[in-house]
Amino acid sequence: MQRGSEEEVEGDVEDEEFIDEECSEEGEGDRRAKGAAIGRTITLQMLLAANILQPGEANMSIEYMGQRFLGDLLSDGKIKSLETDIIFASPSAWACHCKRMVNPDKKSGCGWASVKYQGQKLDYFKNKYFKQLQRGEDDVEEEAGEKAGDSRHGKSCMGPGKSSAIDGNTLLEATPFSSLGKIQPFLVSISTNAALVIDFHCHLTTSEVVGYLAGHWDINAHVLCITAAYPCRCRLNDAELAPLVEEDIARAIEARRLSLIGWYHSHPNAPPTPTLRDVEAQLDYEIRMKGSSDAAYLPCIGFICSPYAEDSVSLESSLSSFWVIPPPESKPHDHGKPMLMTYSVIQDQFLSQDALNEMKKCSEFYRGDQDFINFSEKYKGNITYLEKMKASVSSKFPRDQSDGLLWSVLSELVCPPAPKPANPGYISADIASALFATGKFPPALVSLFPPFIPGISQPPTSS
């Protein structure tokens, strides 16, 4: 994921949740009495989305052992320390940092109980959020398993999604396994052919796009190898066309003896952070693909590509990968925990014909639609959308594309050259010059002579 220039510290989500429950003095009984769908997953980002909190400068504070610390609440739910300029991903991470500055032996932050927003403890705003959602939460158990899955293509093959009172578009920050002191359950690699198709597809339109990932699962090395990407060439709400597109993709994957091992989608102008809907979709995929035994198990991985993220300082798309830890059996209605997955990029020697065909078909599908990017327009400053895309996709070219030929092909896919004007019937300049040199220019050819040929204003007369 893209990082800003300031250092960013992510809190231990598991520790934060348990610490907050132990340290909070207000509303504990009320929290435990509510449904499990949101009990453990409240974040500052959710409170911002619900308009309970507002981002601002110095509106966060901590008082500890006579010391007072201030922080800015950022629009993405993180806290920026005014003392150190470090950005923290959670209240507990910031609280623990501040308290350790005063007391190095301090091991917990108790963020929701000790951090204040505009002078009021965060626990107050958490309880306010619970009360605001209480009516919706009463229906969670009754509705669970009844809602249809996300109707968007690329997710339509999944079964019912979880019901939740939380807005499905709420962003849930993915947690690195390293922050929990753990390692990834499996390694991930993606070929440049697959990464190129993903990046090219996501650059084409201002609308969200979806596709599938195929490759192999090495059970001995515990590596998930992504070797191909298959864009879904239909609109998100096209319930009629989506199943047909997915059938074509399934046949293509089977014909190449690959396995379906994941999916990707775009956040055109937003960061590559999964939403609640993305998390539920990913978990549903994992459950469906886990198989009936260890021998039949297939991992499933999700990728998010952000080609035009507004806060990005790089011309290259932000591409992140995530996996979801299922909720505990005691809380079946809780949503899973998104985990940030690291991956390696394997450069292919050649561009596959399949990858080139997929990109050609994608450009043909979106070209002419209102949401198709006008690549000749300016993206930022003097940089055009075409130059922006080149900066992003060039890093995903195979080894044999140092001559620039591939970029010429891709640029023509999105910016076809203007058609040449029809020949009005003029003879060529070379033939006209040869005729003039003889001194015997036929009068009948005067009307065919192009007056714009440099260096000749009129045909010479015969002597």
Side-chain angles (χ1 to χ4, degrees):
M1 298 179 69
Q2 295 289 336
R3 293 287 186 186
S5 57
E6 296 97 341
E7 182 180 356
E8 183 175 308
V9 177
E10 303 205 23
D12 187 325
V13 177
E14 290 283 359
D15 290 346
E16 175 186 335
E17 291 163 353
F18 288 113
I19 289 171
D20 291 342
E21 290 182 355
E22 292 169 1
C23 296
S24 176
E25 298 175 358
E26 299 176 4
E28 179 67 24
D30 184 45
R31 280 205 300 273
R32 294 189 182 277
K34 295 184 183 299
I38 61 174
R40 285 166 45 89
T41 55
I42 185 71
T43 66
L44 292 182
Q45 203 166 47
M46 294 177 186
L47 300 186
L48 288 168
N51 292 320
I52 293 176
L53 303 182
Q54 298 294 329
E57 297 181 357
N59 55 2
M60 308 296 288
S61 63
I62 294 176
E63 296 178 3
Y64 181 66
M65 296 181 67
Q67 299 289 328
R68 190 166 189 260
F69 302 89
L70 296 177
D72 299 336
L73 178 58
L74 306 181
S75 59
D76 59 359
K78 297 185 175 76
I79 301 172
K80 180 179 179 181
S81 168
L82 293 189
E83 288 79 19
T84 62
D85 280 341
I86 297 175
I87 296 177
F88 297 87
S90 68
S92 289
W94 182 47
C96 191
H97 172 78
C98 293
K99 292 179 180 181
R100 284 176 179 170
M101 292 174 66
V102 180
N103 178 12
D105 294 330
K106 185 68 175 175
K107 295 183 179 180
S108 63
C110 302
W112 289 89
S114 57
V115 175
K116 296 181 179 180
Y117 170 80
Q118 295 183 349
Q120 182 74 46
K121 285 185 177 181
L122 285 180
D123 263 347
Y124 166 80
F125 299 99
K126 180 187 286 189
N127 292 331
K128 183 177 180 180
Y129 181 74
F130 287 144
K131 292 175 182 178
Q132 180 173 308
L133 297 179
Q134 186 169 11
R135 179 180 300 177
E137 291 169 12
D138 290 340
D139 299 329
V140 168
E141 276 194 33
E142 184 176 328
E143 294 179 1
E146 294 181 2
K147 278 191 176 181
D150 196 321
S151 61
R152 299 181 300 174
H153 77 269
K155 300 177 186 179
S156 60
C157 64
M158 293 187 288
K162 287 180 170 55
S163 173
S164 174
I166 306 174
D167 184 357
N169 294 317
T170 300
L171 296 176
L172 302 180
E173 193 74 25
T175 305
F177 280 92
S178 59
S179 71
L180 303 181
K182 301 178 181 179
I183 61 174
Q184 290 185 188
F186 54 89
L187 301 177
V188 180
S189 71
I190 183 170
S191 71
T192 50
N193 277 338
L196 176 59
V197 172
I198 293 172
D199 204 13
F200 182 82
H201 184 198
C202 295
H203 267 94
L204 296 179
T205 172
T206 57
S207 299
E208 183 176 334
V209 301
V210 178
Y212 289 101
L213 303 173
H216 304 281
W217 165 238
D218 188 334
I219 191 172
N220 296 319
H222 238 54
V223 178
L224 194 66
C225 304
I226 302 166
T227 60
Y230 293 91
C232 289
R233 286 182 292 276
C234 63
R235 292 295 176 173
L236 295 179
N237 296 318
D238 193 339
E240 182 177 351
L241 182 58
L244 302 178
V245 171
E246 291 177 346
E247 287 177 8
D248 287 341
I249 293 175
R251 284 194 293 267
I253 292 175
E254 183 178 4
R256 288 153 185 78
R257 297 184 179 181
L258 301 176
S259 298
L260 174 66
I261 53 178
W263 64 295
Y264 71 88
H265 70 287
S266 68
H267 288 180
N269 300 300
T273 302
T275 63
L276 175 60
R277 185 179 293 109
D278 297 335
V279 170
E280 292 180 348
Q282 169 64 23
L283 182 57
D284 200 13
Y285 264 129
E286 292 174 14
I287 294 173
R288 286 174 176 268
M289 292 174 58
K290 68 179 181 178
S292 57
S293 64
D294 290 344
Y297 171 74
L298 262 181
C300 175
I301 196 75
F303 274 78
I304 304 175
C305 181
S306 299
Y308 305 114
E310 296 176 354
D311 59 350
S312 177
V313 296
S314 172
L315 293 179
E316 190 165 358
S317 299
S318 299
L319 185 65
S320 69
S321 179
F322 73 106
W323 189 71
V324 174
I325 296 178
E329 293 183 2
S330 60
K331 297 186 176 182
H333 301 305
D334 208 355
H335 63 70
K337 183 193 298 293
M339 305 300 296
L340 187 65
M341 300 287 285
T342 61
Y343 60 90
S344 58
V345 178
I346 308 300
Q347 188 177 25
D348 289 300
Q349 181 66 38
F350 307 103
L351 179 70
S352 70
Q353 188 62 47
D354 284 348
L356 182 58
N357 289 341
E358 292 294 341
M359 291 186 285
K360 285 181 177 179
K361 292 176 182 178
C362 274
S363 63
E364 292 169 359
F365 178 81
Y366 294 102
R367 190 187 302 124
D369 290 348
Q370 291 184 347
D371 55 356
F372 183 70
I373 295 291
N374 185 343
F375 286 91
S376 62
E377 290 185 349
K378 299 296 183 183
Y379 169 63
K380 287 182 180 179
N382 293 323
I383 300 173
T384 65
Y385 278 90
L386 186 64
E387 292 169 331
K388 189 271 177 214
M389 185 173 75
K390 181 180 181 181
S392 185
V393 301
S394 295
S395 64
K396 304 169 181 69
F397 283 1
R399 291 193 184 96
D400 70 337
Q401 293 298 328
S402 58
D403 55 4
L405 180 60
L406 177 56
W407 173 244
S408 297
V409 173
L410 297 184
S411 61
E412 288 191 8
L413 290 179
V414 298
C415 287
K420 296 181 179 179
N423 189 337
Y426 295 137
I427 62 175
S428 70
D430 291 341
I431 296 176
S433 298
L435 290 172
F436 294 154
T438 65
K440 297 179 180 180
F441 189 83
L445 295 180
V446 171
S447 63
L448 299 180
F449 176 68
F452 48 81
I453 290 181
I456 302 176
S457 58
Q458 59 182 12
T461 58
S462 58
S463 54

